[in-house]
Amino acid sequence: MRAELIMVGTELLLGEIVDTNAIYLAGELADLGIDVFYKSTVGDNFKRACGVLTTALSRSDLVIMSGGLGPTDDDLTREVVAEVLQCPLQENSEVLRDIEDWFTERYGQLSMPPHNRRQALFPQGSQVLANSVGTAPGFFLAKEDKVVIALPGVSLELKTMFSTQAVPLLLKQSSGERLVTKNLHFVGIGESGLEEILADILQTQTNPSLALYASGGTVRVRMAVKASSQAEGFQLMAPVEEEIRRRTKEYLYGTDGQSFEAVIAERLLTKKLTLALAESCTGGLIGHRLTNVPGSSGFLERGFVVYSNRAKVEELGVATATLDMFGAVSAETAQEMAEGVRSKAGTDLGLAVTGIAGPGGGTESKPVGLVYISLSSAGDTIVQRHLWKGTREQVKHRAALMALRLLWQATR
Amino acid sequence: MRAELIMVGTELLLGEIVDTNAIYLAGELADLGIDVFYKSTVGDNFKRACGVLTTALSRSDLVIMSGGLGPTDDDLTREVVAEVLQCPLQENSEVLRDIEDWFTERYGQLSMPPHNRRQALFPQGSQVLANSVGTAPGFFLAKEDKVVIALPGVSLELKTMFSTQAVPLLLKQSSGERLVTKNLHFVGIGESGLEEILADILQTQTNPSLALYASGGTVRVRMAVKASSQAEGFQLMAPVEEEIRRRTKEYLYGTDGQSFEAVIAERLLTKKLTLALAESCTGGLIGHRLTNVPGSSGFLERGFVVYSNRAKVEELGVATATLDMFGAVSAETAQEMAEGVRSKAGTDLGLAVTGIAGPGGGTESKPVGLVYISLSSAGDTIVQRHLWKGTREQVKHRAALMALRLLWQATR
């Protein structure tokens, strides 16, 4: 099945916003094994939108439109589909009642604005796609060998409607075979490093097929296989996944949908380990990331942002002599920060970062991007030295990621 | 001039990446006063790409293509333009020498791979667009009343080439009038609130035209005017901007490109005020945002992430009796945190946040989303109570933003 996407909305042409709907739909269709060959964006203009839909239907079997289902005169998707497919609009009384109820529930005495009546119009022969999170219903129209699906432009509504309403209808239309995917997430190794370790598998493996994606310091391997069910798909992947895991265990931190901080949080909670943070150049970013995980108060006892030397001495007990002799950005200071924060907070672990995020503050012997990370535990204290290139925010991001990685490695 | 964009690349159809090039180009063209009516994406397929370009040229005056200029057989933009516009490819010996030099400089003895020779081919009649940051040159081809611009897919290369090479050629083609824009940024007021204050201006004002955009708790007003120069454009905007500023001064924090934290940092540095942070539910996010500003060590003395009650008592001197009587999320605790952190760090200001980010931890009297923010200074201590709906990350984000806003208001 050849699919294509049409995003309707003048605002999408102005470059002011990211078209997340297209990204979402393309990804979901790939997972269903449906190839997307074209994606078009057109403004809220009847003639131009009709032209784009006509072109799309001339070359694709499935056309998914997003946007243009609202109540205003600008919202033209219903009219465009009715015109191009020659399926006149008809009012659906059940949907009209639903919309009226929606307004009554929310605004009490206030009745539905007359404009919203338009949202109960559908091209003849459509199946209505209910909108459980908004007022604009969508529709699914199969005519001859073509399918048109119209979804609302609001992301949450589009995603909910597509996954719960449109996918079941699409699966009925297709052969029943679908693409099953699984992602493996890695940290502490680059795309090319992972490519080297998995070279023979990547080159010879076709079912599942494998692809690598790098972003923000982590790498993802996506396995994809065509199968009649998810269970069958996972079964086909199992031997390949096992071999990948065998070769990469020091880097692999999780599968689909698991964030790195959530994996770490689970480990700390399971092992009943408490943690205290001492952040200098990361400025609170490690604390921010860990506290994004619900329940992080179960292991994170406290944290310090010790931006000044005075704070390092007063809060963490770093020796003035150490700062004088080795400087604030040094292995010695990092170690004293980690040991100091652990001892002060009375936690099992103390994690510390000190570095030069730039753009100022670098010297020849201590350039911008130099970062020391230290983890103190009952047994011992580890110190790591890193040197990265990049902007201030990139250095902060990388330093936080590598500090989290040290924590992850130490809590296996 | 009617423009349209064609993004070439199979990877763009797979939904794995955000198409930042299209967003960039649409924004830049809007600033040049060129309307974009269509945007299409097509894979690396000769026949399909030719079809898309043919359609584009039938309805638009200017077509900008991105991607497909690399050295491999997949890179088909040159061939596609040559075919559709009937301008056979010709080798440009100067460009060929440049590419050879590029390889020699980087890899010494290693000569240019034979494949790269393709990058010196251009449709007859093209003007070469030099690539100062990569090997793939682009081209500008005007034929009859149509213009095709081909740019590389790599974002940095596309942006550099478009702004330095293509824009001057485009300005020559157009009337010389361009769109001048200026953005005003607001915090602490919603889109509809601002709309109300500016209703009459928004409704009657056409030159400059005004538009509102909300994102992540802040609102932006974009003023746009057609003028022959930037200076003339700003002059036309001045009276409208003045009137907007007069009505909104308690919310307006900056203009184009200024981040909220950078505005605050500048104020603190100018007034020589030092700051200490006491974060509970925001977990370090305020520190992270402020330390994204270069030079933030000039005012941020230290910060505490006091996730546990024990940390609040030990680090900030919050009274155990206060915690027992009013709880960790209360006006009383917030005030003691702000005063405690200011006194302990010896800074001019102490900023504190305590709240329930959720999803767990809420009660009937203290629901998820309840947040207290406090700012202590030499004169007095302010405490604010907020209640927001949203996910854990949304509550954290909103709490950090409103804490920064309090800091901004107090340092006028």
Side-chain angles (χ1 to χ4, degrees):
Chain A
M1 194 180 233
R2 282 164 166 247
E4 87 176 77
L5 310 179
I6 300 178
M7 325 315 285
V8 185
T10 302
E11 73 283 6
L12 297 172
L13 291 169
L14 295 180
E16 301 279 353
I17 51 173
V18 176
D19 186 3
T20 49
N21 288 347
I23 297 164
Y24 167 80
L25 289 173
E28 293 297 300
L29 289 168
D31 285 353
L32 289 168
I34 298 175
D35 293 318
V36 176
F37 282 135
Y38 303 93
K39 184 176 79 186
S40 307
T41 307
V42 64
D44 301 309
N45 175 288
F46 183 73
K47 211 178 118 208
R48 287 197 282 272
C50 284
V52 169
L53 179 58
T54 305
T55 304
L57 287 169
S58 73
R59 62 192 181 190
S60 300
D61 313 306
L62 165 66
V63 178
I64 301 189
M65 302 179 73
S66 93
L69 291 179
T72 74
D73 291 339
D74 271 1
D75 293 301
L76 296 163
T77 297
R78 287 172 291 262
E79 283 77 4
V80 167
V81 175
E83 168 74 20
V84 173
L85 278 96
Q86 292 294 304
C87 300
L89 291 177
Q90 298 185 321
E91 191 171 272
N92 182 313
S93 57
E94 210 173 311
V95 171
L96 184 63
R97 213 168 35 245
D98 285 348
I99 299 175
E100 285 171 343
D101 289 351
W102 194 93
F103 275 94
T104 313
E105 264 171 40
R106 264 164 197 74
Y107 304 107
Q109 296 304 338
L110 281 170
S111 62
M112 182 187 80
H115 254 100
N116 284 73
R117 193 173 190 107
R118 299 187 61 218
Q119 297 188 296
L121 295 174
F122 298 92
Q124 197 172 28
S126 304
Q127 290 177 262
V128 174
L129 304 178
N131 188 335
S132 57
V133 287
T135 58
F139 58 86
F140 182 104
L141 177 56
K143 190 175 176 184
E144 287 146 27
D145 55 345
K146 304 289 181 184
V147 174
V148 175
I149 298 177
L151 303 170
V154 178
S155 271
L156 177 67
E157 299 180 21
L158 175 134
K159 290 178 184 174
T160 310
M161 188 181 292
F162 184 76
S163 59
T164 64
Q165 307 267 312
V167 168
L169 293 174
L170 269 178
L171 287 175
K172 261 196 232 166
Q173 295 269 332
S174 70
S175 64
E177 211 174 50
R178 55 181 297 167
L179 200 71
V180 179
T181 62
K182 185 170 186 178
N183 292 288
L184 303 174
H185 299 283
F186 300 86
V187 70
I189 185 167
E191 196 176 356
S192 57
L194 201 56
E195 221 161 29
E196 221 177 293
I197 294 179
L198 304 176
D200 54 320
I201 307 183
L202 289 167
Q203 276 155 25
T204 58
Q205 191 61 44
T206 54
N207 198 35
S209 65
L210 301 176
L212 262 66
Y213 304 92
S215 79
T218 61
V219 184
R220 171 164 67 94
V221 172
R222 179 175 183 270
M223 300 186 289
V225 64
K226 291 216 176 190
S228 61
S229 70
Q230 199 175 50
E232 190 198 291
F234 286 156
Q235 212 174 343
L236 283 165
M237 283 177 204
V240 179
E241 181 178 344
E242 199 179 319
E243 179 59 22
I244 296 176
R245 283 181 179 273
R246 197 184 62 75
R247 297 189 193 183
T248 60
K249 43 178 174 288
E250 59 198 300
Y251 309 110
L252 195 153
Y253 72 79
T255 54
D256 291 300
Q258 285 184 296
S259 78
F260 191 35
E261 40 271 52
V263 169
I264 294 168
E266 206 186 302
R267 280 196 184 174
L268 292 170
L269 290 170
T270 308
K271 296 183 187 245
K272 295 197 186 353
L273 292 172
T274 54
L275 173 69
L277 302 172
E279 302 190 53
S280 182
C281 66
T282 47
L285 177 54
I286 301 173
H288 169 50
R289 287 191 59 173
L290 286 172
T291 59
N292 278 346
V293 183
S296 43
S297 54
F299 63 86
L300 184 63
E301 213 281 327
R302 73 187 76 171
F304 297 84
V305 178
V306 282
Y307 234 51
S308 67
N309 276 352
R310 191 159 67 81
K312 291 182 184 75
V313 173
E314 289 179 12
E315 299 301 343
L316 308 176
V318 173
T320 314
T322 306
L323 290 170
D324 288 345
M325 201 174 311
F326 304 104
V329 179
S330 64
E332 292 76 7
T333 298
Q335 175 165 356
E336 290 189 24
M337 285 169 66
E339 290 172 350
V341 79
R342 175 173 169 265
S343 137
K344 184 158 189 207
T347 49
D348 300 307
L349 300 169
L351 181 63
V353 179
T354 180
I356 302 162
T363 63
E364 202 163 317
S365 61
K366 295 193 177 177
V368 168
L370 178 67
V371 175
Y372 290 91
I373 295 170
S374 180
L375 182 69
S376 168
S377 61
D380 67 336
T381 302
I382 304 163
V383 182
Q384 291 182 342
R385 178 185 184 277
H386 296 279
L387 181 60
W388 295 297
K389 290 201 168 146
T391 63
R392 182 177 180 86
E393 294 195 31
Q394 284 169 332
V395 170
K396 284 181 68 180
H397 178 83
R398 185 57 65 105
L401 184 68
M402 287 300 117
L404 290 174
R405 180 178 166 234
L406 183 58
L407 190 56
W408 173 70
Q409 289 173 323
T411 51
R412 275 177 195 282
Chain B
M1 196 180 233
R2 285 165 165 247
E4 87 176 79
L5 310 180
I6 301 178
M7 324 315 285
V8 184
T10 302
E11 73 283 5
L12 297 171
L13 292 168
L14 295 179
E16 301 280 353
I17 51 171
V18 175
D19 186 1
T20 49
N21 288 347
I23 296 164
Y24 166 80
L25 288 173
E28 293 297 300
L29 288 168
D31 285 353
L32 289 168
I34 298 175
D35 294 317
V36 177
F37 283 135
Y38 303 92
K39 184 176 79 186
S40 307
T41 307
V42 64
D44 301 308
N45 175 286
F46 183 73
K47 212 179 117 207
R48 287 196 283 271
C50 284
V52 168
L53 180 58
T54 304
T55 304
L57 288 169
S58 74
R59 63 192 181 191
S60 300
D61 312 306
L62 166 65
V63 178
I64 301 188
M65 304 179 73
S66 93
L69 291 179
T72 73
D73 292 339
D74 271 2
D75 293 302
L76 296 163
T77 296
R78 287 172 291 262
E79 283 78 3
V80 167
V81 175
E83 167 75 20
V84 173
L85 279 97
Q86 292 294 304
C87 301
L89 292 177
Q90 298 184 319
E91 191 171 272
N92 183 312
S93 57
E94 210 172 311
V95 171
L96 184 62
R97 212 166 36 242
D98 286 348
I99 299 175
E100 284 170 342
D101 289 351
W102 194 92
F103 275 94
T104 312
E105 264 171 43
R106 265 163 196 72
Y107 305 107
Q109 296 304 336
L110 281 169
S111 60
M112 182 188 79
H115 254 100
N116 285 73
R117 193 173 190 107
R118 299 186 62 217
Q119 297 187 296
L121 295 174
F122 298 92
Q124 196 171 29
S126 303
Q127 289 177 261
V128 175
L129 304 177
N131 188 335
S132 57
V133 287
T135 57
F139 57 86
F140 182 104
L141 178 56
K143 190 176 176 183
E144 286 145 29
D145 54 345
K146 304 288 180 184
V147 174
V148 175
I149 299 177
L151 303 170
V154 177
S155 271
L156 176 68
E157 299 180 22
L158 175 133
K159 291 178 184 174
T160 309
M161 189 181 291
F162 183 75
S163 59
T164 65
Q165 307 267 311
V167 168
L169 293 174
L170 270 177
L171 287 175
K172 261 196 232 166
Q173 297 268 331
S174 69
S175 64
E177 214 174 48
R178 55 182 299 166
L179 200 70
V180 180
T181 62
K182 186 171 185 177
N183 292 286
L184 303 174
H185 299 283
F186 300 86
V187 69
I189 185 167
E191 197 176 355
S192 56
L194 201 57
E195 221 161 29
E196 222 177 291
I197 294 180
L198 304 177
D200 54 322
I201 307 183
L202 288 167
Q203 275 154 25
T204 58
Q205 191 60 46
T206 54
N207 198 36
S209 66
L210 302 175
L212 262 66
Y213 303 92
S215 79
T218 61
V219 184
R220 172 164 66 95
V221 172
R222 179 175 183 270
M223 300 186 290
V225 65
K226 290 215 177 191
S228 62
S229 70
Q230 199 175 49
E232 190 198 291
F234 286 156
Q235 212 176 342
L236 283 165
M237 284 176 201
V240 179
E241 181 178 344
E242 200 180 318
E243 179 59 21
I244 295 176
R245 283 181 179 272
R246 198 184 62 75
R247 297 189 193 183
T248 59
K249 43 179 174 288
E250 59 198 301
Y251 308 111
L252 195 153
Y253 71 80
T255 54
D256 291 300
Q258 286 184 294
S259 78
F260 190 34
E261 40 271 52
V263 170
I264 294 170
E266 206 187 302
R267 280 195 183 176
L268 292 170
L269 289 169
T270 307
K271 294 183 187 247
K272 295 198 187 353
L273 292 171
T274 54
L275 173 69
L277 302 172
E279 303 190 52
S280 182
C281 67
T282 46
L285 177 55
I286 300 173
H288 170 50
R289 286 191 60 172
L290 286 172
T291 59
N292 279 346
V293 183
S296 43
S297 55
F299 64 86
L300 184 63
E301 213 282 326
R302 73 187 77 172
F304 297 84
V305 178
V306 282
Y307 235 51
S308 67
N309 275 354
R310 191 159 67 79
K312 291 181 183 73
V313 174
E314 289 178 11
E315 298 301 344
L316 308 176
V318 173
T320 314
T322 307
L323 292 168
D324 287 346
M325 200 174 311
F326 304 102
V329 179
S330 64
E332 291 76 5
T333 298
Q335 175 165 355
E336 289 190 24
M337 284 169 66
E339 291 172 351
V341 79
R342 176 173 168 264
S343 136
K344 183 156 190 209
T347 49
D348 300 306
L349 300 168
L351 181 64
V353 179
T354 180
I356 303 162
T363 63
E364 202 163 316
S365 61
K366 295 195 176 176
V368 167
L370 178 67
V371 174
Y372 290 91
I373 296 171
S374 179
L375 182 69
S376 168
S377 60
D380 67 337
T381 302
I382 305 163
V383 182
Q384 292 181 341
R385 178 184 183 278
H386 295 279
L387 182 59
W388 295 297
K389 291 204 166 142
T391 63
R392 180 176 181 87
E393 294 195 32
Q394 283 168 335
V395 170
K396 284 181 67 180
H397 178 83
R398 185 56 66 107
L401 183 68
M402 287 300 117
L404 290 174
R405 180 179 166 235
L406 182 57
L407 190 57
W408 173 71
Q409 289 173 323
T411 51
R412 275 176 197 283

